[in-house]
């Protein structure tokens, strides 16, 4: 795939394909808006610049390079950070009771299993954000030593840069951790989710990511990449109703140059910039392949920061830009708190 370059500007010589139609005129923006349903999204978003200190890099490393399934949940009733050991024991007992019902055969948990709750210290943007919580389930057979425990399932709950008004309005009995990340068999996720719902009187449901929000992710993360790893940006579209996927790979420096030529204010991103960024990619694709992407649906975005799929799958690649991912997901989760479908229903 050839390199992509931003709109041609004076003194901006670059080998590759030039986005000649990436003009900031109102004509282009009006054309894009006719084909993209952005009316339900904010007109602008603030760029998070938390610059968090990594208090526990070993714990943060556990979050990277794993395929997480996203869920959102309502505030937890009477959750306490001083009772994590108690929660560990209770969840372990709950898993054991599920095994007696034959659940262990289905999910593959061995004869002995153990749940452990711990804090992910520092994984928050403001003092109002509750501390993140990490949950890990391990198992072993009677012949295995303790050191040979196998991680069956892991997950974590967090709230990063949460809505201050909402957090302040919560009664003191509630703790808001609207994001749940799960890695492991879905049936184990259902067991953990059922225990969370019964214990803290909350609702948990799957967290799909819309095409519009994937578009925001592509734009927001276009100029974020590690100094040592330049991961190719990749976008994938599905073509209804046929089972066809279209992918576009973009060199990270070209994606950054295109975004930098469009983006103005360093403190926020506007919907017009996001639309223009995507319309430039659409125009490039049509010029070279004769395919109009306006009739397709964006289903996956991969950047140096993270990979996100419309079905709610997410993979974090490095801790350097994790503050670009979690505040945005927290914002989306807060928008969904008003909808409370059960976890068991959403996973069918």
């Amino acid at each position: 795939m050839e390199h992509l370059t931003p709109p041609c500007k004076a003194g901006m010589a670059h080998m590759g394909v030039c986005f000649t139609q990436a003009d900031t005129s109102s004509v282009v923006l009006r054309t894009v808006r006719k084909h993209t349903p952005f009316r339900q999204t904010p007109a602008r978003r603030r760029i998070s610049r938390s610059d968090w200190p990594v208090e526990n890099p070993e714990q943060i490393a556990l979050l990277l390079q794993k395929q997480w399934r996203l869920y959102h949940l309502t505030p937890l009733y009477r959750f306490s950070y001083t009772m994590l050991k108690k929660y560990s024991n209770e969840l372990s007992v709950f898993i054991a009771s599920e095994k007696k019902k034959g659940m262990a055969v289905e999910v593959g948990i061995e004869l002995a299993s153990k749940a452990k709750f711990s804090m992910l210290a520092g994984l928050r943007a403001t003092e109002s954000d509750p501390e993140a919580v990490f949950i890990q389930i391990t198992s072993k057979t009677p012949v295995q030593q303790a050191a040979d425990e196998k991680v069956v399932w892991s997950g974590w709950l967090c709230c990063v840069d949460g809505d201050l008004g909402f957090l302040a309005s919560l009664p003191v009995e509630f703790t808001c951790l609207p994001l749940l990340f799960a890695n492991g068999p879905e049936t184990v996720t259902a067991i953990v989710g059922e225990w969370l719902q019964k214990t803290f009187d909350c609702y948990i449901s799957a967290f799909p990511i819309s095409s519009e929000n994937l578009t925001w992710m592509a734009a927001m993360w276009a100029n974020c990449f590690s100094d040592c790893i330049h991961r190719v940006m990749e976008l994938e579209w599905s073509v209804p109703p046929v089972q066809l996927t279209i992918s576009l790979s973009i060199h990270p420096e070209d994606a950054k140059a295109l975004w930098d030529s469009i983006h103005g204010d360093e403190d926020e991103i506007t919907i017009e910039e996001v639309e223009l960024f995507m319309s430039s990619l659409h125009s490039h694709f049509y010029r070279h392949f004769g395919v109009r992407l306006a009739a397709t649906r964006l289903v996956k975005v991969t950047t140096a920061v993270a990979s996100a799929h419309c079905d709610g799958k997410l993979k974090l690649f490095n801790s350097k830009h994790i503050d670009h991912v979690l505040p945005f997901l927290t914002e989306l989760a807060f928008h969904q708190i008003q909808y409370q479908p059960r976890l068991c229903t959403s996973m069918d």
Side-chain angles (χ1 to χ4, degrees):
M1 185 71 197
E2 66 266 68
H3 288 188
L4 311 184
T5 63
C8 294
K9 292 187 177 181
M12 201 172 181
H14 193 288
M15 294 297 292
V17 178
C18 181
F19 285 90
T20 57
Q21 297 184 14
D23 183 18
T24 57
S25 68
S26 59
V27 175
V28 173
L29 293 180
R30 283 198 300 269
T31 302
V32 174
R33 287 188 181 127
K34 287 170 61 179
H35 300 287
T36 52
F38 279 102
R39 291 187 298 274
Q40 304 300 319
T41 61
R44 60 188 69 243
R45 282 187 165 106
R46 180 173 56 87
I47 298 176
S48 175
R49 299 186 185 280
S50 310
D51 194 23
W52 308 324
V54 180
E55 298 184 14
N56 195 334
E58 291 184 357
Q59 274 194 309
I60 298 299
L62 295 175
L63 313 181
L64 307 179
Q65 306 299 333
K66 287 186 174 68
Q67 184 76 64
W68 301 102
R69 173 78 72 168
L70 290 176
Y71 299 88
H72 54 75
L73 62 162
T74 56
L76 309 176
Y77 180 63
R78 295 193 181 280
F79 173 87
S80 174
Y81 291 95
T82 63
M83 301 179 69
L84 296 185
K85 185 175 181 180
K86 177 176 180 289
Y87 300 151
S88 300
N89 293 332
E90 290 181 353
L91 180 55
S92 298
V93 171
F94 185 77
I95 293 173
S97 68
E98 293 300 307
K99 291 182 348 185
K100 291 181 180 179
K101 301 175 185 178
M103 190 66 71
V105 176
E106 182 178 354
V107 302
I109 297 180
E110 303 297 338
L111 296 179
S113 59
K114 178 175 63 176
K116 181 181 180 180
F117 283 69
S118 59
M119 288 178 56
L120 282 171
L123 198 64
R124 57 180 184 168
T126 68
E127 291 297 324
S128 299
D129 293 333
E131 291 282 8
V133 176
F134 187 75
I135 308 172
Q136 189 173 74
I137 300 174
T138 57
S139 67
K140 63 177 180 178
T141 62
V143 297
Q144 286 180 310
Q145 301 297 320
D148 296 327
E149 289 184 344
K150 174 185 177 182
V151 176
V152 175
W153 185 94
S154 56
W156 46 295
L157 301 91
C158 72
C159 175
V160 180
D161 202 14
D163 186 289
L164 295 178
F166 182 89
L167 294 174
S169 68
L170 277 180
V172 294
E173 296 87 359
F174 288 90
T175 302
C176 188
L177 293 167
L179 286 173
L180 168 62
F181 298 78
N183 175 261
E186 290 188 358
T187 319
V188 181
T189 302
I191 294 175
V192 176
E194 183 180 356
W195 180 85
L196 289 171
Q197 291 181 138
K198 290 181 176 179
T199 305
F200 303 112
D201 195 21
C202 63
Y203 288 102
I204 305 176
S205 58
F207 188 168
I209 305 174
S210 69
S211 296
E212 293 75 30
N213 289 325
L214 287 174
T215 302
W216 276 88
M217 291 177 179
M220 289 190 297
W221 305 341
N223 67 340
C224 301
F225 50 82
S226 171
D227 296 333
C228 58
I229 301 177
H230 287 196
R231 189 183 301 272
V232 171
M233 172 182 277
E234 185 172 354
L235 307 178
E236 292 185 11
W237 292 266
S238 67
V239 184
V242 298
Q243 297 296 322
L244 178 65
T245 299
I246 298 175
S247 64
L248 173 64
S249 298
I250 311 166
H251 192 281
E253 293 183 355
D254 290 325
K256 181 181 185 301
L258 173 61
W259 176 246
D260 288 345
S261 71
I262 295 171
H263 180 54
D265 193 331
E266 293 185 357
D267 297 322
E268 66 178 18
I269 296 175
T270 67
I271 194 170
E272 287 80 10
E273 292 172 335
V274 174
E275 291 174 339
L276 185 53
F277 180 76
M278 293 305 296
S279 71
S280 300
L281 299 179
H282 283 204
S283 297
H284 161 81
F285 203 86
Y286 179 74
R287 261 195 328 271
H288 289 271
F289 304 105
V291 176
R292 295 189 182 276
L293 295 175
T296 65
R297 185 171 71 98
L298 185 63
V299 296
K300 185 178 181 180
V301 170
T302 301
T303 70
V305 176
S307 174
H309 194 280
C310 65
D311 62 4
K313 293 177 182 177
L314 181 86
K315 181 179 288 187
L316 301 169
F317 294 129
N318 66 76
S319 59
K320 179 180 179 180
H321 297 295
I322 197 172
D323 59 332
H324 286 72
V325 181
L326 299 184
F328 182 63
L329 294 176
T330 300
E331 175 194 335
L332 300 182
F334 268 93
H335 291 167
Q336 295 296 328
I337 282 179
Q338 58 183 311
Y339 304 106
Q340 302 176 352
R342 295 268 183 188
L343 176 65
C344 58
T345 301
S346 63
M347 293 182 62
D348 288 344

